[in-house]
Amino acid sequence: MPPSSLRVVYAFAREMHPKTTDVFIQYGTAGFRTKASLLEHVVYRMGLLAVLRSRVKNGRTIGIMITASHNLEPDNGVKLVDPDGEMLEQSWEEIATRLANVSDNDLESTTAEIIKQVNSDMALKASVYIGMDTRYTSPRLAAAAVHGVMALKGTPKEFGIVTTPMLHFCVKCRNDNTYGTPTEEGYYEKIVGAFKNISQKLPVVGNYNTTLYVDGANGVGGKKLNIIKKSLDGELDLVLFNLGGNGGKLNLNCGADFVKVSQKPPVGIEHVPFQRVASLDGDGDRLIYYYVDDKNEIHLLDGDQIAILLASYITELLKSCGAQELRLGLVQTAYANGASTRYITQELKVPVTCVKTGVKHLHHAALSYDIGIYFEANGHGTVVYSKEAKNVVRKIAEEGEAEQRKAAQLLLNFIDVTNETVGDAISDLFLVESVLRARGLDVRDWAALYRDVPCRQLKVTVQDRNVISTTDAERQCTSPEGLQTKINELVSKYPSGRSFVRASGTEDVVRVYSEADTQESADKLAAEVAQAVFDLAGGVGDRPELPE
Ligand code: G16
């Protein structure tokens, strides 16, 4: 493509997707995310960037997902997916931010500069897969992405409404056909098919029962489970609610983020004590389980507990296979409950790595193990298995002793249920159900594995959240001056106290996390640290308060 044809980049921008705001936007924890009305030009430009990225990767397919995931309906966002289904390589985030913020007049020349900088061969073909969530602003933004791809003569393929992890899966399959078929049906075939295979090998025993209630957050995940439900042949009886009808709003008082942060059950269902319930988030990439007891108190089984359940089962299968030489490790963030980290290292004797928030960081760290399990406490995570690990297990499934073969075959099914490209609520749900079934556990047995330290999360609005800098996997705050000293002073008043603050990369807020020996203390500590953030980091609006 000769440089002169870049004129069309400007033409599309000016005529169809002009930049109408000067608000600076940054590629954050999971792409660009803000009010949907500020995003059209950004998404168009990400269409351009995806084409350049595809060419740099020799024409391999790149993904664009239109979603603001756990955020409320008025927000939207865009995430770029790299050829192996992982998040966009970090060194490109800066390029994405630059392209998103230049004026329309400078767009053509900036595009030319970036082509040179990344050495994108414009003669190559380029392929871009585009998916979107259920937000009413998503179709318009998806169209802007398509125009961006067309402007640089790439080939867009639209998947319509899919979960974020489904798009990641399709991108991976398109570039590596040994992983599966790059369609929604291909996803069901592999992941749901493997779950049914496991279930058929595992009789229902002990306290496990096959009825699972699922809160769909009024988003795409629930809709897809409604399709899957019919093909489960009774292996799992899904009772779905918050599917987007009856005026239910996306992520509003429901969904994984609401349940985790507010520590309250979602609206949309009458809770029966001890019922096992799973909550997805808006684009189907996070999963939290919970139950309500006979005193109407909620008990969460969040990303930490999911990671532990999966780690202990995989460890058991590896032992039964005789493949203990495979190194299994777990990756968490600072939000992981202290009790979970202690349980993993002391009881399970599994090594733990702590990294910064954002699945891109966790995924990367997990790849250093033969089997890496990564979960954020908010329910975002998955398992990755190295080629070596898969080969070892395959060999045992073919050549091992009878009992070893049985365990290895179960593990191979388990690997197939896993969406290794990214955290996936649907795939994770089937993994959890497989383990509960294999072990005959009900939700209370699972919750009894260990007890969380009481914790609390709060949000504080400040003038510019970038004044907060952190180090040590976000556990220490380096600016503004004096804030960490104040946090240390507050924490020291509470037995088992721990607290940290960081700027969110998906919402315009500073997040505060605290833990202490009682819920009252954790709440008080969070409120005091939030006050300190408000005072020292330029709080705006109302002073922070605890949720009721
Ligand atoms: C995204 C990221 C997650 C992160 C979450 C919150 O999730 O993919 O890794 O934990 O945002 O990030 P922050 O605290 O920076 O706002 P999702 O489900 O919203 O895409």
Side-chain angles (χ1 to χ4, degrees), residues 21-171:
T21 164
D22 284 333
V23 177
F24 182 79
I25 185 158
Q26 198 164 359
Y27 201 98
T29 311
F32 294 102
R33 209 173 279 191
T34 184
K35 296 275 159 279
S37 55
L38 301 177
L39 270 173
E40 203 171 311
H41 69 284
V42 177
V43 176
Y44 165 67
R45 292 155 184 226
M46 288 310 104
L48 302 174
L49 193 71
V51 172
L52 302 187
R53 181 88 185 134
S54 172
R55 291 193 173 122
V56 165
K57 293 285 171 187
N58 271 322
R60 296 176 86 207
T61 295
I62 298 294
I64 297 182
M65 182 71 198
I66 309 296
T67 181
S69 194
H70 75 272
N71 298 43
L72 294 177
E73 179 86 40
D75 285 355
N76 213 325
V78 53
K79 304 184 187 182
L80 261 66
V81 181
D82 256 357
D84 283 321
E86 72 281 37
M87 304 279 192
L88 176 69
E89 183 183 299
Q90 259 171 279
S91 64
W92 276 60
E93 292 184 1
E94 214 177 289
I95 301 171
T97 301
R98 181 165 149 225
L99 193 62
N101 288 287
V102 288
S103 68
D104 285 335
N105 283 336
D106 290 337
L107 185 60
E108 190 182 328
S109 59
T110 305
T111 306
E113 281 163 27
I114 294 174
I115 290 172
K116 218 162 146 199
Q117 179 191 342
V118 299
N119 206 5
S120 182
D121 180 350
M122 300 303 278
L124 289 179
K125 288 191 168 158
S127 152
V128 181
Y129 280 6
I130 299 166
M132 62 181 175
D133 70 11
T134 53
R135 280 162 222 265
Y136 59 85
T137 52
S138 290
R140 196 181 167 84
L141 294 175
V146 169
H147 288 157
V149 175
M150 284 164 46
L152 285 180
K153 292 203 172 8
T155 308
K157 178 169 174 175
E158 291 187 80
F159 282 73
I161 295 176
V162 283
T163 66
T164 297
M166 280 178 181
L167 186 79
H168 284 251
F169 173 90
C170 290
V171 168

Side-chain angles (χ1 to χ4, degrees), residues 28-31 33 67-71 79 87 164 257 281-286 333 335 356-362 376-380 422 457 465 474 502-509 511:
T29 311
R33 209 173 279 191
T67 181
S69 194
H70 75 272
N71 298 43
K79 304 184 187 182
M87 304 279 192
T164 297
D257 197 63
D281 75 338
D283 64 338
D285 61 7
R286 294 200 211 167
T333 70
Y335 290 105
K356 288 202 294 194
T357 300
V359 276
K360 58 192 178 194
H361 303 296
L362 288 103
E376 296 183 300
N378 64 22
H380 205 156
V422 77
Q457 272 192 61
R465 68 193 200 273
E474 301 175 321
R502 55 175 285 278
S504 161
T506 61
E507 294 173 58
D508 194 8
V509 294
R511 298 198 194 280

Side-chain angles (χ1 to χ4, degrees), residues 338-412:
S340 77
T341 316
R342 279 189 288 281
Y343 183 85
I344 296 161
T345 49
Q346 290 166 16
E347 301 293 322
L348 296 183
K349 311 244 182 278
V350 166
V352 174
T353 315
C354 181
V355 299
K356 288 202 294 194
T357 300
V359 276
K360 58 192 178 194
H361 303 296
L362 288 103
H363 189 92
H364 190 73
L367 291 174
S368 66
Y369 296 106
D370 291 321
I371 299 181
I373 301 170
Y374 68 86
F375 267 88
E376 296 183 300
N378 64 22
H380 205 156
T382 187
V383 187
V384 286
Y385 314 85
S386 68
K387 263 203 185 106
E388 155 82 359
K390 286 180 188 169
N391 287 340
V392 168
V393 180
R394 263 188 220 123
K395 193 150 188 268
I396 299 170
E398 282 162 18
E399 299 170 8
E401 304 289 324
E403 282 308 301
Q404 291 180 332
R405 281 208 310 269
K406 223 166 118 185
Q409 270 149 9
L410 268 177
L411 187 48
L412 286 177

